[in-house]
Amino acid sequence: MSDITTNGHIAHPVGVGTGLALIPRATEKQSLKDFKSDQEVRWCPGCGDYAILAAVQSFLPELGLKRENIVFVSGIGCSSRFPYYLNTYGFHSIHGRAPAIATGLAASRPDLSVWVITGDGDALSIGGNHLIHALRRNVNLNILLFNNRIYGLTKGQYSPTSEVGKITKSTPMGSLDKPFNPISLALGAEAGFVARTLDSDRKHLQSVLREAAAHRGTSLVEIYQNCNIFNDGAFDALKDPGLRDDITLRLEHGQPIASASKAVRRGAGGRIEVVDRASVPEGEILVHDAHDPDPSAAFALSRLDEPAFEHVPIGIFRSVDRPAYDTLMSKQVHEAVSDQGAGDLDQLLRGGDTWRVG
Amino acid sequence: MTKQVQQLDRVIIRFAGDSGDGMQLTGDRFTAETAQFGNDLSTLPNFPAEIRAPAGTLPGVSSFQLHFADHDILTPGDAPNVLVAMNPAALKANIGDLPRGADVIVNTDEFTKRNLQKVGYAASPVDDGSLGEWRVHAVPLTSLTVKALEGFEVSKKDAERSKNMFALGLLSWLYHRPTEGTIKFLERKFAKKPDIAKANIAAFQAGWNYGETTESFSVSYEIKPATLAPGLYRNISGNQALAYGLIAASVRSRLPLFLGSYPITPASDILHELSKHKRFGIRTFQAEDEIAGVGAALGAAFGGALGVTTTSGPGVALKAETVGLAVATELPLLVVDVQRAGPSTGMPTKTEQTDLLMAMYGRNGESPVPIVAPATPSDCFHAAIEAARLAVKYRTPVMLLSDGYLANGSEPWRLPDADDLPDLSVEFAVEPNGEDGETYLPFKRDPQTLARPWAVPGTPGLEHRIGGIEKADGTGNISYDPNNHDMMVRLRQAKIDGIAQDIPPLEVDDPDGDARLLVLGWGSTYGPIAAAVRRVRRSGVKVAHAHFRHLNPLPANTGEVLRAYDKVLLPEINLGQLALLLRARFLVDVISYNRVRGLPFKAEELAGVIQDVIEQ
C-alpha cells in the first residue's frame, strides 16, 4: 500500500488498486463463452441491458479471476435479472436489499469478487438506505447502477431519477419530486470510487469497470441505460453523433475537462463553471484530479448536468482509497486470535464465576 | 450481642429504587454471591425503557427480584419476603406485591417531603402506621453511607451513590452471603478509579457491620446450599446463554459465525456479547437497519457462514421479506426473536409471548419455518444449538423465540462439556450432482431430509444462480409452470413437516399416569407452570404437564398426547396463539388462560387456574 495522506486516505494511481489482490486467479485463459450461462436472455428487444451484459461478459475474462470466485448479487427490477445470464455464482434477491446481502457476503468472504447489479428504483428508492451505508462503509463491492430514469418491470411509473414533470402512468399530470443525482448522492455518502458511463459505449464502459474492479472498497458505477419501451431516448443526446462531442465532458485523471466546444474552469469565487472552449486558454481549463481527497470538486462536477443535460460529465469522478470494511473486520478477528489465542469453547463457558457441586 | 440465626428453605428478595440507584447491579451482585454460595436461584429484573426517567417518580422505579433456596426452584418467586425500597416511589410501586409479615427495608433519607409528594404520599408511610402489616426496618442508608465514607477521597455525591453497596452489604449479612466475590468485583470494575473502588468496598463492609451491630435486625438467616446435580456451575442470563449457544453452534458446525444485527431492546445484549468473542472467528455486523441485518446474515450464509440475526418483535416484522427469501432460496439462517410486549413499540423492557403467530405465518406466500423456543434462561444455550442444527441440516431459516423474561432473568447452569454437544458438521456440495456427472442441480433434494445441496462460492464447477423467483425443481431455473409451483410449495412444506421425525416426542410429566387434566406450555412459561403443577400436586390433585420446545413442526406425538386427556389447559402470555394452532390442527378443545401484563405468570396464580379447571 502506498502513503496514507493526512486525512486517512491512501493515494495510488488509477488502475493500481488492490481490489482483486485477495481473489484467486484463473490458471487458464478465459473467454466470453466461459461467462455465458445457459439461460435465455429475456429483456425487451432493444433494451440497453443487452449491451451492458455483452460488455460485462467480454470484460470478465480480462480480470483473469477464477470464475467460481465471482458473485453477482441483484435486487428487483429489469436489470436485476442480470445474474441469471452469467455463469458465475449469482443471487437474485429482493427489492433494494442487494447491497445488504452483498455486504454480508463480501465481509465474510474477502476471497470473492462481488458485484451488485441494481437499477435507479432498486438502488435509490426502496434500497436507498442500504446503498448509502454500503458506500460509507466501504466493503469491497462493485455496484453497477443501471439508470434508465423510469420503472420498467412495473411498467412505466416515474423513478427517483426521472426529471420533474415526468408524465407516467402514476403521474398523469407530471411528477412532482426532484430527482436524485446518483453521483452527487454517492459522493455525499463518502463513496471512494464514483463513475458514470453509458450502455452504448462499450469501450468506455469496460474501462470504467476495469478501474472499479481494481478499486478496493465500494465502487459505484452509474450506467446510463436506455429503456426503449417506457423512456426511449432518455440519453440520445449523448449518443447523437451531431451532439455528443459537444455535450460529453470526459473525465480523465490528469487531463483537462472539456468537450469539443465547452470547457470547465474555476470561475469567480472558486465555482466550477462551463464556458465556451474558445473563450478560455488551454492552461486555464480545469485538470481532473480523481484522487483529490477533498470531494468538493468531484461534487461540483456532478452538478454540471443540471438542469437540462446540456453538458454531462462521463468518467471517473472520484477514485480515492481508504481501508475497506472487510479488511478491517478481518483484521479485528486476526488480532483477537493473535492477542488472546483461538477461542476455546470449554474455556469460554467456564469463564465466569463458577462453583462445583458434588 | 449474639444474634439469633434462623434456618429458612427459601427467600425472595426484591431490590427496588430509582433507575439511577444501581438496583440492577445490586441484584446482580447478590445473585453472584448466592450462586457462589450454592443455592438454587432464579431472577427477575424489571426496569423501565427510559435510561433515566425523572428521579423519584413511579415510572422511574427499577427493581430486581431474586428467589433462592436450598432446593431446586423454577421461578423468580411470586411475592417477595423482603423488599428493599430506596425511595418512596420504590415503596409505593412494590408494597402491594408483599404478603403480610414481609420485611421492608426503607432508606428513610429519601423520604423527604418533596419525594413523598412526587408519588402522592401526604405523610410518610413509615411514620403514619400505614405499613402496619409488614415488618418495617427504617434505615437512613444514605447518611450512614456518607458517614462511613468520611475521610475517603470521594465527593459527597460519589459517597451517596455508594448507598446501594451499603444496602448490599446489609442484605449480605442478613442472609450470610460470601463477600469476597463482590470485593473482587468492585476492585475490577473501578480498577481505573481506585478511590471509588475503596469507597464502594467500604460502603459494602459498613452495611455488613451495620447489620451485625444494629438493633433493627435481631435475626439473620441461613439458607443451606441446594443439592443440585453434581457438576460445575455458573449463573447465566438468557441472553448470555443464547450468545454462548450461537458460539457453540459455530464451533460444533465448524462454520464461521456471522451476526447481522441492529440494536433493539431486549436483544442487544446478544450483539454485545458476540462482539466480544472475535477470537472464535466471529464477525459481528451492526447494520444500518433490521433489514440490512438479516440481509447481511443471509448473504454470509450464501457464502458458507452460520448466518444469524438477532432482534425483537418490531425487527422481525421488518425482516419478514428477507426470511421469505431464505425460505425460497433454502439457505440456513437463524432469526432470534427476543419477544417483548407489543403491538408496535409496546413496552420494550417487558416480556410477552405474542410473536408466535408472526413467526409461523408472518410472511407472504406459503413460507414455513421451524420454530424453537427455550424454556429457561440456561436453556437458551441448548435451544440456540438446536435451532442452528435444524437450520444447517435442513437449509432453512429457523425462528428462535426467546423473550424479555428469559433474556434478563438468570439461573444456575450446570456447564456442559463442549465435546458432548451435538455435532453439527455440514457437508458442502463439492461436485456435480446431475445424472450426466457434469451439471450441478442446486435444487436436487436429499431424499431423506428434502434439503437441497449447499454449494458455496469458490467451489469450481458448481456455479449457479438462486433467487426469490420460483424455481424449477432440480435445476433451480426460473419457472412459472403451475404444476412445478404447486410441487415446490408442497416440497418446502414437506421439508419442514418432516423435521417432526428428527425432534424428540412431547414428553409428559404424569407421575401416576392417571391424571385427567394436561397442562401445556411453551417457551418461558415453563418455570411458573411447573411450579404451579408442583403446588397442586402437593394438595393431592393429579395433573399432567407437558412443555413444547418445538413449535413448528410440533412433535410427532402431539395429537396423541392431547387426545389422551379429558381436559387440556394452556396458559400463554398472549391471547391464545398456540391454543389457536392446536385447536385448528388437532380439533382439541384447548382451554386457554391468558394474561398479557408484560410480566411472567405467578405460580400461585396458575395453581389457582389449574384448581378451577379441575373443579369445573
Side-chain angles (χ1 to χ4, degrees):
Chain A
M1 286 215 184
S2 39
D3 297 343
I4 295 175
T5 57
T6 46
N7 58 358
H9 293 103
I10 301 163
H12 71 67
V14 170
V16 195
T18 53
L20 305 173
L22 300 177
I23 300 151
R25 308 199 59 80
T27 46
E28 286 169 22
K29 200 166 159 20
Q30 298 163 329
S31 72
L32 180 149
K33 218 173 79 210
D34 292 318
F35 288 95
K36 278 190 167 169
S37 79
D38 60 355
Q39 296 297 295
E40 186 195 347
V41 183
R42 289 189 204 168
W43 287 307
C44 307
C47 175
D49 289 354
Y50 283 97
I52 304 172
L53 177 63
V56 169
Q57 281 170 336
S58 67
F59 158 74
L60 285 174
E62 185 192 309
L63 291 179
L65 302 176
K66 283 193 169 176
R67 199 160 45 104
E68 63 267 24
N69 286 71
I70 300 175
V71 185
F72 278 79
V73 182
S74 63
I76 291 290
C78 296
S79 59
S80 287
R81 298 293 179 100
F82 205 89
Y84 290 113
Y85 309 134
L86 287 165
N87 193 14
T88 63
Y89 280 87
F91 199 154
H92 177 210
S93 76
I94 45 178
H95 212 4
R97 315 306 169 201
I101 289 166
T103 291
L105 180 62
S108 57
R109 291 286 306 272
D111 62 325
L112 301 178
S113 173
V114 181
W115 298 72
V116 170
I117 304 295
T118 183
D120 40 317
D122 193 53
L124 300 171
S125 262
I126 194 166
N129 198 32
H130 307 309
L131 180 75
I132 58 174
H133 286 277
L135 294 171
R136 135 183 110 77
R137 208 172 269 131
N138 203 36
V139 188
N140 193 31
L141 298 176
N142 305 300
I143 302 177
L144 308 188
L145 194 170
F146 297 14
N147 182 6
N148 57 17
R149 305 183 129 194
I150 198 76
Y151 279 69
L153 200 61
T154 52
K155 299 193 167 58
Q157 301 83 5
Y158 79 112
S159 92
T161 55
S162 296
E163 59 277 18
V164 176
K166 186 93 175 164
I167 308 277
T168 72
K169 281 180 188 161
S170 61
T171 52
M173 294 171 72
S175 62
L176 302 172
D177 27 346
K178 183 168 167 58
F180 270 138
N181 176 326
I183 303 291
S184 303
L185 183 86
L187 290 166
E190 307 289 343
F193 185 99
V194 183
R196 175 188 286 149
T197 184
L198 195 61
D199 57 1
S200 57
D201 187 347
R202 178 181 296 198
K203 193 161 163 259
H204 188 262
L205 174 59
Q206 291 184 334
S207 74
V208 169
L209 294 182
R210 196 171 297 128
E211 300 298 339
H215 178 81
R216 182 145 180 90
T218 308
S219 50
L220 179 106
V221 179
E222 179 190 22
I223 305 173
Y224 282 155
Q225 172 248 323
N226 190 44
C227 172
N228 58 320
I229 304 295
F230 295 110
N231 201 21
D232 195 22
F235 308 106
D236 272 1
L238 293 168
K239 301 176 183 177
D240 182 334
L243 285 172
R244 67 184 176 203
D245 293 341
D246 292 321
I247 291 175
T248 308
L249 295 166
R250 291 272 172 184
L251 300 177
E252 284 165 25
H253 179 70
Q255 297 298 316
I257 307 168
S259 67
S261 59
K262 306 278 184 186
V264 175
R265 71 166 185 196
R266 281 207 187 270
R271 289 171 66 96
I272 283 178
E273 59 188 17
V274 182
V275 293
D276 281 340
R277 188 162 186 168
S279 72
V280 50
E282 279 294 309
E284 284 181 26
I285 300 177
L286 184 69
V287 173
H288 184 47
D289 180 5
H291 309 320
D292 187 352
D294 175 355
S296 55
F299 187 83
L301 289 169
S302 79
R303 312 304 292 172
L304 292 180
D305 61 357
E306 305 282 332
F309 239 51
E310 279 173 36
H311 16 70
V312 180
I314 295 278
I316 298 167
F317 287 75
R318 176 173 164 83
S319 174
V320 174
D321 274 9
R322 61 185 164 99
Y325 182 87
D326 49 299
T327 308
L328 299 173
M329 196 179 216
S330 297
K331 199 165 154 245
Q332 286 194 340
V333 170
H334 291 138
E335 273 174 14
V337 172
S338 63
D339 292 355
Q340 309 156 28
D344 177 289
L345 187 55
D346 280 314
Q347 200 184 11
L348 172 77
L349 301 184
R350 283 150 185 74
D353 292 335
T354 59
W355 70 96
R356 188 165 285 284
V357 173
Chain B
M1 183 177 80
T2 314
K3 293 203 172 182
Q4 192 191 335
V5 177
Q6 197 179 324
Q7 300 290 326
L8 295 175
D9 62 349
R10 65 189 192 102
V11 176
I12 301 163
I13 297 178
R14 188 182 293 176
F15 295 94
D18 209 48
S19 7
D21 281 344
M23 289 298 97
Q24 300 305 320
L25 176 71
T26 310
D28 278 341
R29 283 319 311 163
F30 196 92
T31 303
E33 293 174 2
T34 297
Q36 199 66 41
F37 184 74
N39 295 125
D40 195 12
L41 67 89
S42 173
T43 67
L44 174 64
N46 191 1
F47 45 86
E50 295 80 9
I51 304 303
R52 290 277 186 276
T57 62
L58 288 171
V61 173
S62 166
S63 71
F64 187 102
Q65 183 164 312
L66 167 73
H67 182 186
F68 59 105
D70 66 359
H71 54 278
D72 74 308
I73 51 171
L74 297 159
T75 75
D78 291 355
N81 309 112
V82 186
L83 171 69
V84 179
M86 299 298 282
N87 66 7
L91 181 75
K92 184 152 193 178
N94 292 286
I95 192 77
D97 294 339
L98 263 58
R100 179 180 289 273
D103 287 288
V104 186
I105 300 169
V106 291
N107 177 15
T108 49
D109 288 326
E110 290 296 319
F111 280 61
T112 60
K113 199 171 167 194
R114 192 174 136 73
N115 284 349
L116 290 163
Q117 275 171 351
K118 272 188 197 168
V119 295
Y121 280 128
S124 173
V126 180
D127 306 323
D128 70 3
S130 61
L131 301 179
E133 57 185 290
W134 298 285
R135 282 193 297 192
V136 178
H137 308 267
V139 184
L141 282 167
T142 313
S143 47
L144 284 171
T145 306
V146 171
K147 200 162 164 230
L149 298 184
E150 272 172 13
F152 281 80
E153 297 289 318
V154 287
S155 65
K156 181 153 184 276
K157 198 173 158 213
D158 281 334
E160 285 178 353
R161 286 180 59 170
S162 308
K163 63 181 181 291
N164 62 332
M165 286 300 112
F166 188 98
L168 178 65
L170 173 57
L171 271 289
S172 300
W173 170 81
L174 195 58
Y175 294 101
H176 296 221
R177 303 290 94 183
T179 56
E180 305 80 19
T182 293
I183 291 167
K184 274 196 198 134
F185 166 84
L186 290 169
E187 283 167 351
R188 262 202 320 270
K189 181 174 168 70
F190 297 111
K192 286 181 186 154
K193 297 174 181 171
D195 289 337
I196 302 283
K198 278 183 207 156
N200 273 281
I201 292 166
F204 175 66
Q205 287 165 335
W208 176 285
N209 295 337
Y210 176 78
E212 201 147 67
T213 51
T214 183
E215 290 178 8
S216 315
F217 296 93
S218 53
V219 186
S220 66
Y221 304 93
E222 236 175 42
I223 299 91
K224 294 232 155 62
T227 44
L228 301 170
L232 190 65
Y233 283 77
R234 72 181 285 174
N235 192 56
I236 197 149
S237 72
N239 270 349
Q240 193 175 18
L242 205 154
Y244 284 4
L246 295 173
I247 297 173
S250 167
V251 170
R252 299 297 289 170
S253 64
R254 287 180 282 281
L255 299 177
L257 176 58
F258 183 96
L259 174 73
S261 186
Y262 187 78
I264 185 170
T265 302
S268 304
D269 281 341
I270 305 171
L271 165 64
H272 303 160
E273 186 65 39
L274 287 175
S275 67
K276 288 193 280 192
H277 301 290
K278 295 191 166 64
R279 56 191 294 206
F280 285 88
I282 295 170
R283 284 173 160 79
T284 55
F285 172 66
Q286 183 175 317
E288 59 270 24
D289 59 27
E290 295 280 1
I291 299 172
V294 68
L298 185 61
F302 181 59
L306 180 64
V308 182
T309 191
T310 49
T311 188
S312 186
V316 177
L318 285 165
K319 293 177 199 292
E321 191 190 13
T322 308
V323 177
L325 178 64
V327 170
T329 53
E330 303 191 43
L331 284 169
L333 176 72
L334 239 69
V335 181
V336 178
D337 176 4
V338 184
Q339 299 168 95
R340 68 188 216 189
S344 188
T345 307
M347 301 192 290
T349 57
K350 310 299 176 190
T351 197
E352 229 165 70
Q353 295 184 299
T354 40
D355 293 349
L356 176 58
L357 292 179
M358 173 165 67
M360 277 294 286
Y361 297 121
R363 291 164 297 283
N364 62 307
E366 295 288 354
S367 52
V369 299
I371 303 171
V372 178
T376 72
S378 69
D379 187 41
C380 290
F381 177 82
H382 299 286
I385 295 173
E386 172 65 358
R389 181 184 76 89
L390 297 178
V392 296
K393 182 169 177 184
Y394 293 90
R395 317 280 150 82
T396 176
V398 175
M399 289 275 184
L400 181 57
L401 290 185
S402 179
D403 63 31
Y405 166 59
L406 294 178
N408 292 314
S410 68
E411 65 179 354
W413 177 37
R414 187 155 65 101
L415 298 170
D417 282 327
D419 290 343
D420 296 339
L421 298 171
D423 180 3
L424 308 185
S425 314
V426 176
E427 275 184 44
F428 290 123
V430 290
E431 49 192 31
N433 59 354
E435 277 176 15
D436 60 2
E438 284 176 18
T439 46
Y440 172 61
L441 301 171
F443 283 81
K444 182 179 172 184
R445 292 168 194 281
D446 178 291
Q448 281 287 301
T449 60
L450 297 181
R452 75 176 189 89
W454 189 6
V456 301
T459 315
L462 306 193
E463 293 85 357
H464 65 283
R465 277 65 57 191
I466 57 170
I469 301 189
E470 185 60 284
K471 288 152 287 288
D473 182 38
T475 64
N477 292 332
I478 291 179
S479 171
Y480 285 82
D481 177 66
N483 290 329
N484 175 74
H485 178 56
D486 185 75
M487 178 175 63
M488 291 296 275
V489 166
R490 291 173 196 280
L491 275 170
R492 286 186 287 261
Q493 184 68 49
K495 179 176 80 167
I496 303 307
D497 290 347
I499 292 173
Q501 307 307 319
D502 191 18
I503 58 175
L506 184 62
E507 249 182 74
V508 183
D509 168 31
D510 185 358
D512 301 323
D514 57 355
R516 300 318 312 149
L517 168 67
L518 171 68
V519 186
L520 287 174
W522 69 274
S524 74
T525 52
Y526 171 76
I529 294 175
V533 165
R534 278 188 192 175
R535 278 186 197 215
V536 294
R537 280 181 189 159
R538 276 200 293 269
S539 62
V541 174
K542 294 194 170 171
V543 55
H545 177 209
H547 196 78
F548 288 104
R549 174 188 193 70
H550 292 91
L551 283 311
N552 194 41
L554 292 163
N557 65 336
T558 301
E560 193 189 319
V561 168
L562 262 56
R563 292 186 194 105
Y565 291 87
D566 293 345
K567 289 180 183 173
V568 177
L569 169 67
L570 173 51
E572 292 180 83
I573 309 178
N574 58 41
L575 293 183
Q577 299 195 4
L578 179 60
L580 181 78
L581 297 176
L582 296 179
R583 283 169 161 267
R585 170 99 186 267
F586 301 106
L587 300 177
V588 167
D589 189 14
V590 174
I591 304 165
S592 269
Y593 176 75
N594 312 106
R595 284 290 179 278
V596 198
R597 303 172 61 239
L599 293 168
F601 286 123
K602 291 181 175 175
E604 187 186 0
E605 167 191 14
L606 293 182
V609 173
I610 294 169
Q611 289 285 8
D612 288 349
V613 170
I614 283 176
E615 284 159 21
Q616 266 163 22

